[in-house]
Every structure is written in C-alpha cells, then in structure tokens.
Amino acid sequence: MRILLTGSTGWLGRYLAPMLRDAAHEVTGLDVAPGPDTQVVGTVADRALVERTMLSHGIEGVIHAAALHKPDIVRYPRQAFVDVNVTGTLNLLEEAVAAGVERFVFTSTTSLMITQAIRDETSDEAVWLDETSGPLSPRNIYGVTKRAAEETCRLVHAETGLPVIVLRTARFFPEDDDTHRDLSGENMKANEFLNRRLTVADCAAAHVAALERAPEVGFGTYIVSAPTPFARGDAAELKRDARAVIARYFPDAAELYAARGWSLPASIGRIYDAGLIERELGFRCATDFAAVTAALREGREHPFEHDASYTSPAQQNSFVACD
C-alpha cells in the first residue's frame, strides 16, 4: 500500500517509516525538516502541497504523525498550533477523501485527557483513565488543538465513511521531562512504565496495527501505553502508598532500584488503561515495567530510549516543528 507519513523526520517517524516498509508498504514522507525518510519537505498547513502529494504519489493510506507539541508552546504562538494541528489535519482528511484514500491513522495524545485537577493530583486516589473518561478539558493549546483534530477526524468519518483510527499515545519522547527535575531522566522514564509511557518502537507498531485494521473498525479512538500492572482496585492505595503496591507486584523492585540509585514513586496520581486497543485490535505493547525490572535484574541496557540532549530535527533546522 502507498502510505503518506507526515512527521517522517521526527522521533516517531524515523521508527515508523522502516517499520512500514518492512510490512511491504511504500512510504512517502512529508515533514517540514528534511530527513532520510522525507521525500516532501513542507507543512501540512499548506493545502495545495497536501493535494499535490496525495495525487502525485497515488496515496492509499495516511498516517498523520506531524504536529506541534507541548514543548513548542514556549516557541510558537497559539495560531501556529491551530494552523498545524487543526487546519493541517483537516487538509489531510479532506484531500484524503478527494483522492480516494482507503484509511487514515491520526496520532493524538493522552495529554488532552489531563485536566488541571488531574495534573494537580487533587483526587484521593489515582485517576483511572480510559477511552470513556471525561468530560475532557485540555489544559493548554496543545491539548485543545489535538482534541479539535480528533473531533475533525470523527466528523469526516461520519460524513464520508473514511476509516479513521485515533491513537492517544502516552509518553515516548527520548529527552528529559521539561517540567520535572526531581529524578534523573532514566529513573523517571522507568517509573512511567507503571502508568504512562511506552517505547517509540511500540508506538510505531501500534500505528502499523491501526493502519491494517482501520477498514474493519471504521472509526475508533484508542489509548496506547505500556500495559499497567495495576488493577482499578489499587487506585486508592496507589495514591497513598504506591511503593507498597509496587512491592506486591514486583517484590524485588525496591532492591533493584536502590542498587541503581533510583527511587520508586511514593504516589501515583493517574493510570492510563490501554486495554481497549488490546481487546479490539489485538495490539499490546511489548515493553512494560516487568521488562524494565528484568533488565535491571540481569544487568542489561534499559529497554527504552533516553537521550537528554535530543533536539527535534525541526528545531535544528529552524522550521515550525512537525514531528
């Protein structure tokens, strides 16, 4: 199948492009920054460019991973987020319909599910988040525009029948968190596999699975995150004493962490439940917290990516970010 991959130079795109080729797809990459998997340099906000690319490459399926992201808030005005995340998505959807594209996968984010109250962890227990959670009140322009793009996907599917799958991905960025500095980047990433992280390879694999299943699904929204080891009944204790809960599931985790000089979370305020994508699409992330502790136990490298100095190609090239 001939696939248009937006955000092809970015962190996810560099994993997705070869994975799609391995699945026998022909990939055309579109990004604002040049790269080895990018054949078309430009922005999804350029409707004419999107149209030309769809038609000249005979596109049959779209994976739309290009976006302005949360760290870009300090670099770009709100209008830029609307132009790229909302208008760009609409451009791709409408030109996909016009070109007779068979399926469309949209990369969204679990960030849009986090209200300010959830972020401030005001609840007495860990908030259990799945596809039924709401009402949704995104707390910044990134979340607002991603939510608007999701609704645009839903509307275009309802009006045209274009099969669309929305993937709300948890964290998979390689760099350090831009708001939390209490722990080392590796320690924080390891902890997040308990409740809100996945590897970039698993994220790419979820997109390939969604692409394959889109026609039979029609329209679907799925959280994509490493499977949590916890049960809903653990929610109150996770907020109060997460280490006690972790010890029940992973008896040697504290010892393994201590040997590394790491700290387990004392409290966990939210859990992303990725059960729906496993039940409906048969997809499950390969890397979870058990894999993290196994690597520590066996003295192997971490099964996740960490690069404190990572800078997106778009930033390096002084473009409006599209990865």
Side-chain angles (χ1 to χ4, degrees), residues 186-210:
E186 291 173 306
N187 188 168
M188 177 168 282
K189 287 181 174 64
N191 288 355
E192 289 173 344
F193 277 91
L194 289 162
N195 65 319
R196 59 169 181 166
R197 178 166 281 274
L198 72 163
T199 66
V200 64
D202 278 337
C203 191
H207 283 72
V208 176

Side-chain angles (χ1 to χ4, degrees), residues 109-130 133 139 170-171 177 179-180 191-197 225-226 228-230 234-236 238-239 242 265 267-273:
T109 173
T110 52
S111 178
L112 63 80
M113 304 175 69
I114 307 305
T115 64
Q116 192 60 49
I118 292 174
R119 191 180 191 283
D120 293 342
E121 299 190 358
T122 57
S123 174
D124 293 333
E125 60 183 38
V127 178
W128 200 273
L129 295 160
D130 62 18
S133 298
R139 68 187 188 279
R171 293 177 161 209
D177 190 297
T179 56
H180 299 284
N191 288 355
E192 289 173 344
F193 277 91
L194 289 162
N195 65 319
R196 59 169 181 166
R197 178 166 281 274
S225 188
T228 180
F230 306 126
D234 297 322
L238 282 169
K239 184 63 182 295
S267 176
I268 291 177
R270 76 189 79 156
I271 301 287
Y272 295 136
D273 183 348

Side-chain angles (χ1 to χ4, degrees), residues 100-286:
V101 166
E102 301 171 7
R103 59 198 75 189
F104 193 105
V105 179
F106 173 61
T107 310
S108 190
T109 173
T110 52
S111 178
L112 63 80
M113 304 175 69
I114 307 305
T115 64
Q116 192 60 49
I118 292 174
R119 191 180 191 283
D120 293 342
E121 299 190 358
T122 57
S123 174
D124 293 333
E125 60 183 38
V127 178
W128 200 273
L129 295 160
D130 62 18
E131 292 79 0
T132 67
S133 298
L136 301 178
S137 300
R139 68 187 188 279
N140 54 41
I141 191 63
Y142 170 52
V144 166
T145 52
K146 278 294 195 176
R147 179 65 181 139
E150 284 192 359
E151 284 299 298
T152 304
C153 288
R154 181 194 58 76
L155 181 64
V156 170
H157 164 74
E159 292 181 346
T160 70
L162 174 67
V164 181
I165 289 185
V166 173
L167 298 180
R168 290 181 181 167
T169 63
R171 293 177 161 209
F172 60 89
F173 55 79
E175 65 267 40
D176 288 333
D177 190 297
D178 64 343
T179 56
H180 299 284
R181 304 292 184 185
D182 296 340
L183 302 175
S184 71
E186 291 173 306
N187 188 168
M188 177 168 282
K189 287 181 174 64
N191 288 355
E192 289 173 344
F193 277 91
L194 289 162
N195 65 319
R196 59 169 181 166
R197 178 166 281 274
L198 72 163
T199 66
V200 64
D202 278 337
C203 191
H207 283 72
V208 176
L211 186 74
E212 297 299 324
R213 299 291 298 277
E216 63 190 87
V217 172
F219 180 83
T221 299
Y222 300 98
I223 290 173
V224 189
S225 188
T228 180
F230 306 126
R232 285 180 182 261
D234 297 322
E237 191 178 3
L238 282 169
K239 184 63 182 295
R240 184 176 64 251
D241 187 359
R243 289 169 183 163
V245 183
I246 295 167
R248 290 202 297 272
Y249 289 92
F250 304 95
D252 64 346
E255 180 182 354
L256 293 170
Y257 264 54
R260 177 73 59 157
W262 286 1
S263 298
L264 287 165
S267 176
I268 291 177
R270 76 189 79 156
I271 301 287
Y272 295 136
D273 183 348
L276 185 64
I277 194 171
E278 183 172 357
R279 294 191 298 272
E280 294 195 356
L281 301 191
F283 176 81
R284 180 183 175 93
C285 289

Side-chain angles (χ1 to χ4, degrees), residues 89-101:
T89 302
L90 178 62
N91 289 343
L92 286 158
L93 286 163
E94 292 188 339
E95 293 303 332
V97 171
V101 166

Side-chain angles (χ1 to χ4, degrees), residues 18-93:
M19 198 174 289
L20 287 166
R21 289 195 294 268
D22 288 345
H25 297 298
E26 181 181 325
V27 182
T28 297
L30 186 158
D31 201 301
V32 293
D37 294 305
T38 296
Q39 289 73 43
V40 181
V41 177
T43 173
V44 293
D46 183 343
R47 180 71 171 256
L49 175 66
V50 170
E51 179 186 22
R52 288 197 305 273
T53 302
M54 292 275 190
L55 297 178
S56 63
H57 293 272
I59 298 302
E60 300 168 293
V62 175
I63 296 181
H64 177 27
L68 282 178
H69 294 280
K70 188 260 184 183
D72 295 313
I73 291 173
V74 299
R75 294 188 284 269
Y76 298 104
R78 290 175 179 171
Q79 186 63 54
F81 280 82
V82 173
D83 293 343
V84 174
N85 294 358
V86 183
T87 303
T89 302
L90 178 62
N91 289 343
L92 286 158
L93 286 163

